[in-house]
Amino acid sequence: MEVVTIKSKFLRNLFDQNTYVLKNENEAIIIDAGADVDDVEREVQGLNVLAILITHIHFDHVWNLEEYIKKFDTNIYISSGQENRFSNSRLNASFMLHNDFRIDMTNAKIKHYDGTLHLGSFDIEIIETPGHTKDGVSLLIDGNLFSGDTLFNGNIGRTDLDDSSEIEMAESLKKLKETEFDVLYPGHFKSCFREEALKTIESFLNY
Ligand SMILES: [Zn+2]
């Protein structure tokens, strides 16, 4: 499996958001939807796009999702009961931009995470990791952990937003500490190996 990181050009990379394309033979999966659709399309050319997996519905992670829906005509996975985030600027955090960002999901094929996902040649373990947001998930795929805004290389996600919880964040970090993975692919900034990621977790759990 190949992992391609595509940086969102949104606001001149102010947020340094990562959109990931996972490729395996003639199949691909997209994780989050911040990057420009053209950049993603180039990566998945000739491949069967099996799904778009959203780590959490914050504006920077779904900034171009409407374009993706039109272009890729594939299933969109989110946590259950969270659709209102697409049209709520407090919950999708776009209030920070003084922007009433909303996505029209009328024609979207929405699916809800429910345990392990088997998509084509991809086995995906869904780890519920609330704390930064209620709907946060981390995705374990072939030894790679896609942690959204729960865990970064050297930091953790902020817990001062509308539906954040420091207590849930600590529980989620403990879960990730117990998770066997080789490489961390966070929702922002650079990836790192497990050892580095564990140091970050430890420093926050012991704080
Ligand atoms: Zn976020």
Short mmCIF file of all heavy atoms in Angstrom, two decimals, residues 55-61 85 91-93 96 132-133 135 148-150 152 157-158 161 188, ligand 1:
data_model
loop_
_atom_site.label_atom_id
_atom_site.label_comp_id
_atom_site.label_asym_id
_atom_site.label_seq_id
_atom_site.Cartn_x
_atom_site.Cartn_y
_atom_site.Cartn_z
N THR A 55 -12.11 12.09 9.03
CA THR A 55 -11.67 11.88 10.42
C THR A 55 -12.55 12.66 11.40
O THR A 55 -12.78 12.22 12.52
CB THR A 55 -10.20 12.29 10.64
OG1 THR A 55 -10.05 13.70 10.35
CG2 THR A 55 -9.26 11.49 9.76
N HIS A 56 -13.00 13.84 10.98
CA HIS A 56 -13.96 14.63 11.77
C HIS A 56 -14.42 15.80 10.91
O HIS A 56 -13.69 16.26 10.03
CB HIS A 56 -13.37 15.11 13.10
CG HIS A 56 -12.23 16.09 12.96
ND1 HIS A 56 -11.07 15.79 12.32
CD2 HIS A 56 -12.10 17.37 13.39
CE1 HIS A 56 -10.25 16.83 12.36
NE2 HIS A 56 -10.84 17.81 12.99
N ILE A 57 -15.62 16.28 11.20
CA ILE A 57 -16.19 17.32 10.34
C ILE A 57 -15.85 18.70 10.90
O ILE A 57 -16.65 19.34 11.56
CB ILE A 57 -17.71 17.11 10.16
CG1 ILE A 57 -17.96 15.71 9.60
CG2 ILE A 57 -18.29 18.18 9.22
CD1 ILE A 57 -19.42 15.27 9.67
N HIS A 58 -14.60 19.11 10.65
CA HIS A 58 -14.17 20.49 10.83
C HIS A 58 -13.91 21.05 9.43
O HIS A 58 -13.44 20.31 8.55
CB HIS A 58 -12.89 20.56 11.66
CG HIS A 58 -13.14 20.80 13.12
ND1 HIS A 58 -12.17 20.65 14.08
CD2 HIS A 58 -14.27 21.21 13.78
CE1 HIS A 58 -12.68 20.95 15.28
NE2 HIS A 58 -13.95 21.27 15.12
N PHE A 59 -14.18 22.34 9.26
CA PHE A 59 -14.12 22.93 7.91
C PHE A 59 -12.85 22.60 7.15
O PHE A 59 -12.89 22.34 5.95
CB PHE A 59 -14.30 24.45 8.00
CG PHE A 59 -13.12 25.16 8.61
CD1 PHE A 59 -12.11 25.68 7.80
CD2 PHE A 59 -13.00 25.28 9.98
CE1 PHE A 59 -11.01 26.32 8.36
CE2 PHE A 59 -11.90 25.92 10.55
CZ PHE A 59 -10.90 26.43 9.74
N ASP A 60 -11.70 22.61 7.84
CA ASP A 60 -10.44 22.42 7.11
C ASP A 60 -10.27 20.98 6.61
O ASP A 60 -9.48 20.73 5.70
CB ASP A 60 -9.23 22.86 7.95
CG ASP A 60 -9.25 22.35 9.39
OD1 ASP A 60 -10.35 22.00 9.88
OD2 ASP A 60 -8.19 22.32 10.01
N HIS A 61 -11.01 20.05 7.17
CA HIS A 61 -10.90 18.65 6.74
C HIS A 61 -11.95 18.28 5.69
O HIS A 61 -11.88 17.20 5.11
CB HIS A 61 -11.00 17.72 7.96
CG HIS A 61 -9.84 17.88 8.87
ND1 HIS A 61 -8.77 17.02 8.90
CD2 HIS A 61 -9.53 18.88 9.75
CE1 HIS A 61 -7.87 17.46 9.77
NE2 HIS A 61 -8.31 18.58 10.30
N ARG A 85 -23.16 18.85 11.54
CA ARG A 85 -21.89 19.60 11.54
C ARG A 85 -21.64 20.27 10.19
O ARG A 85 -20.96 21.29 10.12
CB ARG A 85 -20.72 18.68 11.86
CG ARG A 85 -20.87 17.86 13.12
CD ARG A 85 -19.64 17.03 13.37
NE ARG A 85 -18.59 17.83 13.97
CZ ARG A 85 -18.42 17.95 15.28
NH1 ARG A 85 -19.19 17.31 16.11
NH2 ARG A 85 -17.46 18.71 15.74
N LEU A 91 -20.05 23.98 15.14
CA LEU A 91 -19.59 22.59 15.19
C LEU A 91 -18.51 22.29 14.15
O LEU A 91 -17.63 21.47 14.39
CB LEU A 91 -20.78 21.63 15.03
CG LEU A 91 -21.70 21.56 16.24
CD1 LEU A 91 -22.89 20.65 15.96
CD2 LEU A 91 -20.96 21.06 17.48
N ASN A 92 -18.56 22.94 12.97
CA ASN A 92 -17.48 22.68 12.00
C ASN A 92 -16.35 23.70 12.13
O ASN A 92 -15.40 23.69 11.33
CB ASN A 92 -18.01 22.56 10.57
CG ASN A 92 -18.59 23.86 10.02
OD1 ASN A 92 -18.03 24.94 10.21
ND2 ASN A 92 -19.70 23.76 9.29
N ALA A 93 -16.45 24.55 13.14
CA ALA A 93 -15.38 25.48 13.53
C ALA A 93 -15.09 26.59 12.52
O ALA A 93 -14.13 27.33 12.68
CB ALA A 93 -14.09 24.73 13.88
N MET A 96 -14.40 30.40 13.25
CA MET A 96 -13.07 30.96 13.47
C MET A 96 -12.62 31.83 12.30
O MET A 96 -11.78 32.69 12.45
CB MET A 96 -12.05 29.85 13.69
CG MET A 96 -12.26 29.10 14.99
SD MET A 96 -10.85 28.07 15.45
CE MET A 96 -11.00 26.75 14.27
N HIS A 132 -11.06 16.15 20.78
CA HIS A 132 -10.97 17.37 19.96
C HIS A 132 -12.37 17.73 19.47
O HIS A 132 -12.80 18.87 19.56
CB HIS A 132 -10.02 17.09 18.79
CG HIS A 132 -9.95 18.17 17.76
ND1 HIS A 132 -9.44 19.42 18.01
CD2 HIS A 132 -10.35 18.18 16.45
CE1 HIS A 132 -9.52 20.16 16.90
NE2 HIS A 132 -10.07 19.43 15.96
N THR A 133 -13.09 16.72 18.99
CA THR A 133 -14.52 16.85 18.64
C THR A 133 -15.21 15.56 19.06
O THR A 133 -14.56 14.54 19.28
CB THR A 133 -14.74 17.02 17.12
OG1 THR A 133 -14.18 15.87 16.46
CG2 THR A 133 -14.12 18.29 16.58
N ASP A 135 -17.08 13.78 17.12
CA ASP A 135 -17.15 12.82 16.01
C ASP A 135 -15.78 12.29 15.57
O ASP A 135 -15.68 11.63 14.54
CB ASP A 135 -17.88 13.44 14.80
CG ASP A 135 -17.07 14.56 14.15
OD1 ASP A 135 -16.32 15.26 14.89
OD2 ASP A 135 -17.18 14.73 12.92
N GLY A 148 -6.29 12.11 12.43
CA GLY A 148 -7.07 13.34 12.37
C GLY A 148 -6.46 14.41 13.25
O GLY A 148 -5.24 14.59 13.25
N ASP A 149 -7.29 15.09 14.03
CA ASP A 149 -6.77 16.13 14.93
C ASP A 149 -6.70 15.65 16.38
O ASP A 149 -6.73 16.45 17.31
CB ASP A 149 -7.63 17.40 14.85
CG ASP A 149 -7.40 18.16 13.57
OD1 ASP A 149 -6.61 17.70 12.73
OD2 ASP A 149 -8.01 19.25 13.40
N THR A 150 -6.64 14.34 16.57
CA THR A 150 -6.47 13.83 17.93
C THR A 150 -5.00 13.91 18.34
O THR A 150 -4.67 14.47 19.38
CB THR A 150 -6.96 12.36 18.02
OG1 THR A 150 -8.35 12.34 17.65
CG2 THR A 150 -6.80 11.81 19.43
N PHE A 152 -0.94 14.73 16.93
CA PHE A 152 0.00 15.22 15.91
C PHE A 152 1.41 14.76 16.28
O PHE A 152 1.63 14.20 17.35
CB PHE A 152 -0.01 16.76 15.86
CG PHE A 152 -1.36 17.35 15.59
CD1 PHE A 152 -1.92 18.27 16.49
CD2 PHE A 152 -2.09 17.00 14.47
CE1 PHE A 152 -3.17 18.82 16.25
CE2 PHE A 152 -3.34 17.55 14.23
CZ PHE A 152 -3.88 18.47 15.12
N GLY A 157 -4.50 17.62 19.54
CA GLY A 157 -5.51 18.55 19.04
C GLY A 157 -6.04 19.45 20.14
O GLY A 157 -6.02 19.08 21.33
N ARG A 158 -6.53 20.61 19.77
CA ARG A 158 -7.04 21.53 20.79
C ARG A 158 -8.35 21.01 21.38
O ARG A 158 -9.13 20.32 20.72
CB ARG A 158 -7.19 22.95 20.22
CG ARG A 158 -8.01 23.06 18.96
CD ARG A 158 -7.86 24.45 18.35
NE ARG A 158 -8.61 25.45 19.12
CZ ARG A 158 -8.79 26.72 18.74
NH1 ARG A 158 -8.29 27.13 17.59
NH2 ARG A 158 -9.47 27.55 19.48
N LEU A 161 -12.79 23.78 21.96
CA LEU A 161 -13.86 24.11 21.02
C LEU A 161 -15.22 23.66 21.58
O LEU A 161 -15.29 23.06 22.64
CB LEU A 161 -13.57 23.47 19.67
CG LEU A 161 -12.30 24.04 19.02
CD1 LEU A 161 -11.81 23.15 17.90
CD2 LEU A 161 -12.55 25.46 18.50
N HIS A 188 -2.70 17.27 10.52
CA HIS A 188 -1.91 18.46 10.20
C HIS A 188 -0.43 18.14 10.43
O HIS A 188 -0.10 17.26 11.23
CB HIS A 188 -2.27 19.65 11.11
CG HIS A 188 -3.69 20.11 10.98
ND1 HIS A 188 -4.09 21.18 10.21
CD2 HIS A 188 -4.83 19.61 11.53
CE1 HIS A 188 -5.40 21.34 10.31
NE2 HIS A 188 -5.88 20.39 11.10
ZN ZN B 1 -10.21 19.75 13.77
#
